[in-house]
Amino acid sequence: MKKIIIFLCVLLTLVGCSNSKPNENKLDENNEPKQEEQVNWFVNPESTTRPFAVMINCHNGALPQSNIDKAYIVYELMVEGGITRMMALYKDVDVDKIGSIRSARSQYLSYVLENDAIYVSAGGSAEGIRAINKLGVNRMDVDNSTYGIRDKSLKRDWEHTLFTSTEKLKLAAKNYNYKTTTDKGLVLNYSKDEIDLSKYTSAKKADDISITYSNYRTSKYSYDTESKSYLRFMNNTKNVDLNTGEQYKVKNIIVYDVNYTTFSSDGYWGYQKIDNIGSGEGYYITDGYAVPITWSKKDTNSKTVYKIKETNEELVVNNGNTYIQIYPKGNNFSIK
């Protein structure tokens, strides 16, 4: 009888353990229940704040730029004359000086729409404005004293001195009566844990990246092992911030080529159209490695879908900022 009682007690103890809740017995050093780890997101995947997509000047006479490192996604495309412009996306951040800001172009609009963003520019080409109106893009013009800031202290041409702030953009959104929330979600999927690209058989080392847009502009990156990010260059010059003098660092790089077509509009020859509806291949680069990816975009409003080519699984990127480099097909691109 004594042995039976002991057996039943042991059995009840085991049953009690098996019914315990997950993490119930996980205690910290103070014998307190462990708290779930909080992720310091660069951009919160659950945020419903609608982003601002700001046209950023990349002309050599407009460098250095201001607070581009606060943007969670930056698209770089070519415009007329071989010059590039960036479209920098901001949400849930307070930034007192963004720019310098330039005019709108139609080749950026599908990326404005896929992010459900409010497009911010200083005017725009006549062709670009017509496309904005046709597509119903929410745009705000900041080339005025209410929403823009002219920095007269800069020793550069007047066209390169226009800036804005997130405070002014929020005021503009209110005055334009634009919605400031979105239910569209983010274009990219973010991982709370560091991603190891070296596990893919198609991965290769990526310490130096060079992307040629034209004779005027080549964007370059050099991997910094200490910060586990890429230092950015415009041609062979460090891409530094106007306010801090520090070189911009990038966690994720997505790069692919598309067909650019030069066309004439309103008596001006040189505007660019890009063939970005369809599919193609490129690379995702992070933490010193690159893997081949595919991209697909079914129409102007749809999100671009990125996948790891080797596995056909949807791309997940590291927690951090991302530069999406879309350069002309046939131009030089190298990973070393």
Side-chain angles (χ1 to χ4, degrees):
M1 180 62 69
K2 198 172 189 179
K3 289 180 179 180
I4 293 173
I5 292 172
I6 293 172
F7 173 77
L8 290 173
C9 289
V10 171
L11 183 62
L12 288 171
T13 301
L14 290 173
V15 171
C17 289
S18 67
N19 290 331
S20 62
K21 297 178 181 178
N23 301 322
E24 187 176 62
N25 297 319
K26 292 183 179 180
L27 304 177
D28 61 19
E29 62 274 11
N30 298 318
N31 212 33
E32 296 289 336
K34 285 186 177 180
Q35 299 296 316
E36 187 175 338
E37 182 182 357
Q38 296 297 310
V39 179
N40 183 24
W41 291 107
F42 193 91
V43 56
N44 183 357
E46 298 181 356
S47 170
T48 59
T49 304
R50 195 176 182 200
F52 296 108
V54 186
M55 285 299 294
I56 301 295
N57 202 338
C58 293
H59 190 284
N60 289 340
L63 302 178
Q65 300 151 324
S66 179
N67 285 310
I68 311 305
D69 54 335
K70 305 299 192 304
Y72 68 97
I73 289 182
V74 177
Y75 294 84
E76 186 174 21
L77 307 177
M78 190 173 71
V79 295
E80 58 272 16
I83 299 169
T84 63
R85 285 183 187 166
M86 296 174 179
M87 186 177 77
L89 273 70
Y90 299 84
K91 65 184 291 178
D92 299 324
V93 289
D94 294 319
V95 187
D96 60 2
K97 191 174 186 180
I98 300 170
S100 64
I101 299 172
R102 290 294 282 159
S103 54
R105 293 291 183 273
S106 59
Q107 61 264 45
Y108 297 85
L109 299 182
S110 65
Y111 299 112
V112 175
L113 291 169
E114 75 175 7
N115 287 280
D116 192 25
I118 299 172
Y119 194 28
V120 180
S121 72
S125 64
E127 180 271 337
I129 298 298
R130 284 196 296 271
I132 286 167
N133 293 334
K134 181 179 178 180
L135 292 170
V137 172
N138 288 166
R139 185 186 75 90
M140 353 196 251
D141 195 325
V142 297
D143 192 8
N144 56 70
S145 59
T146 303
Y147 308 133
I149 307 162
R150 285 284 177 185
D151 189 343
K152 300 177 183 178
S153 68
L154 295 175
K155 296 180 179 180
R156 56 175 71 168
D157 291 341
W158 181 256
E159 65 193 69
H160 304 319
T161 62
L162 180 63
F163 300 83
T164 190
S165 67
T166 51
E167 182 180 4
K168 286 181 176 294
L169 294 181
K170 290 174 184 176
L171 172 63
K174 180 180 179 181
N175 290 344
Y176 275 88
N177 199 29
Y178 290 154
K179 66 183 180 71
T180 56
T181 60
T182 178
D183 59 1
K184 303 297 184 183
L186 299 176
V187 167
L188 298 175
N189 304 305
Y190 296 87
S191 173
K192 67 178 181 180
D193 300 314
E194 200 74 8
I195 293 169
D196 180 15
L197 292 186
S198 66
K199 68 182 180 180
Y200 295 103
T201 58
S202 59
K204 60 181 179 179
K205 285 289 291 178
D207 293 322
D208 293 288
I209 316 299
S210 179
I211 308 151
T212 302
Y213 282 88
S214 66
N215 292 332
Y216 184 88
R217 173 67 68 231
T218 297
S219 293
K220 296 183 177 181
Y221 296 90
S222 179
Y223 186 57
D224 177 46
T225 55
E226 185 176 346
S227 64
K228 298 186 73 175
S229 60
Y230 285 87
L231 300 174
R232 196 170 195 283
F233 297 81
M234 304 281 267
N235 295 340
N236 294 314
T237 302
K238 292 180 179 179
N239 193 183
V240 302
D241 186 71
L242 175 65
N243 311 290
T244 65
E246 294 183 5
Q247 189 172 7
Y248 286 137
K249 295 178 180 178
V250 180
K251 185 63 177 178
N252 306 297
I253 305 166
I254 293 174
V255 55
Y256 55 98
D257 60 355
V258 300
N259 283 317
Y260 279 72
T261 304
T262 303
F263 67 97
S264 176
S265 178
D266 304 294
Y268 180 84
W269 172 261
Y271 291 124
Q272 299 294 310
K273 177 183 178 182
I274 59 173
D275 184 12
N276 65 342
I277 306 302
S279 61
E281 297 182 357
Y283 281 90
Y284 168 54
I285 304 165
T286 192
D287 288 0
Y289 282 89
V291 292
I293 62 170
T294 63
W295 64 268
S296 62
K297 187 173 174 65
K298 65 180 183 180
D299 56 45
T300 301
N301 289 277
S302 298
K303 293 179 183 178
T304 305
V305 177
Y306 301 99
K307 293 184 177 181
I308 300 289
K309 183 179 178 182
E310 181 179 321
T311 61
N312 202 38
E313 63 189 5
E314 194 161 341
L315 179 66
V316 179
V317 302
N318 269 317
N319 181 15
N321 61 336
T322 303
Y323 273 62
I324 300 179
Q325 308 278 170
I326 306 172
Y327 69 100
K329 192 176 288 292
N331 284 13
N332 291 329
F333 164 63
S334 66
I335 301 175
K336 297 179 181 178

